[in-house]
Amino acid sequence: MNSFIELKNLKKTYTIGEQEFNALDGINLSINQGEFVVILGPSGAGKSTLLNLLGGMDKATSGSILIGENDIAKYDDKELTRYRANDVGFIFQFYNIMPTLTVDENVNLIKDVTNTSKNSKDVLESVGLLRHADKFPGELSGGEQQRVSIARAIMKNPKVLLCDEPTGALDSKTGVEVLKLLRKQSDNDTTVIIVTHNSLIADIADRVIRIKNGKVEESILNKHPKKIDEVKW
């Protein structure tokens, strides 16, 4: 695998009143293309801030964020909008799908923001939802709704898939099904980055990153990640 994401002395500082708070305090990090990455850390460690910067949803105070050969930390608002539309898929704990649209319509929303979209029927079949294409979210289970959000994210054929607690609202059995879908994406050379409090997910990761107080405490390459079914969830 080739190095794909490089963070160099990345800082994000917030001003609260007269005080400054470093949510990220000089992070240096390398992630390879196609890696399945898990980021762990206590609340307030900077995990979500890091995810927001990688996704182009916020701007760094200083430092660089190299995605491939492009430093998105230097992008203006228009360039960040294009980056979010074409290169990044987002999956959240709460599914953020439109309740008044069918499964197929929810997934096809991506066609309004990107020109790299796949065929929706192929995507729905890949996540096991083709037979539910004409149903509304209220007719689906929580796990099925999360699969809709995954289908929508991979519809654009993203280079990076960013996941914020993607199994947090699911039971363990359904969570395992979702993790298998995400693992499948990294096996297809998409870089998958998961922020989670569930340390068990680290057992299946190619790389485990631990963040504390806005710094990388450790970044470990897992040479022998467990298969998902080998973990006792």
Side-chain angles (χ1 to χ4, degrees), residues 118-127 130:
K118 299 180 178 181
N119 180 280
S120 64
K121 296 295 190 291
D122 292 339
V123 171
L124 288 174
E125 185 172 17
S126 74
V127 300
L130 186 57

Side-chain angles (χ1 to χ4, degrees), residues 8-149:
K8 297 180 180 179
N9 198 28
L10 183 63
K11 292 186 178 182
K12 179 61 183 180
T13 303
Y14 294 101
T15 301
I16 303 174
E18 296 181 354
Q19 294 185 328
E20 290 188 341
F21 166 68
N22 291 322
L24 295 180
D25 192 11
I27 281 186
N28 294 286
L29 195 59
S30 177
I31 294 172
N32 294 328
Q33 186 171 358
E35 277 190 332
F36 189 89
V37 180
V38 169
I39 300 177
L40 298 171
S43 296
K47 304 186 301 299
S48 293
T49 300
L50 178 56
L51 211 65
N52 288 339
L53 292 177
L54 287 170
M57 294 182 287
D58 201 356
K59 292 184 178 182
T61 302
S62 62
S64 61
I65 308 170
L66 293 170
I67 309 291
E69 297 179 352
N70 300 310
D71 186 357
I72 69 167
K74 295 180 179 178
Y75 279 7
D76 59 25
D77 289 342
K78 185 178 290 186
E79 289 171 319
L80 283 175
T81 297
R82 189 161 53 244
Y83 166 72
R84 289 192 301 268
N86 295 320
D87 295 337
V88 190
F90 299 95
I91 299 169
F92 303 97
Q93 178 176 351
F94 301 105
Y95 322 121
N96 292 343
I97 53 181
M98 301 294 290
T100 58
L101 299 181
T102 66
V103 169
D104 189 59
E105 289 168 340
N106 264 285
V107 172
N108 273 300
L109 282 174
I110 288 300
K111 290 185 177 180
D112 294 334
V113 298
T114 182
N115 54 12
T116 62
S117 62
K118 299 180 178 181
N119 180 280
S120 64
K121 296 295 190 291
D122 292 339
V123 171
L124 288 174
E125 185 172 17
S126 74
V127 300
L129 286 177
L130 186 57
R131 64 190 179 94
H132 297 308
D134 295 324
K135 290 184 178 180
F136 291 92
E139 300 176 88
L140 304 176
S141 68
E144 288 167 340
Q145 290 184 56
Q146 186 63 298
R147 279 191 271 164
V148 174
S149 71

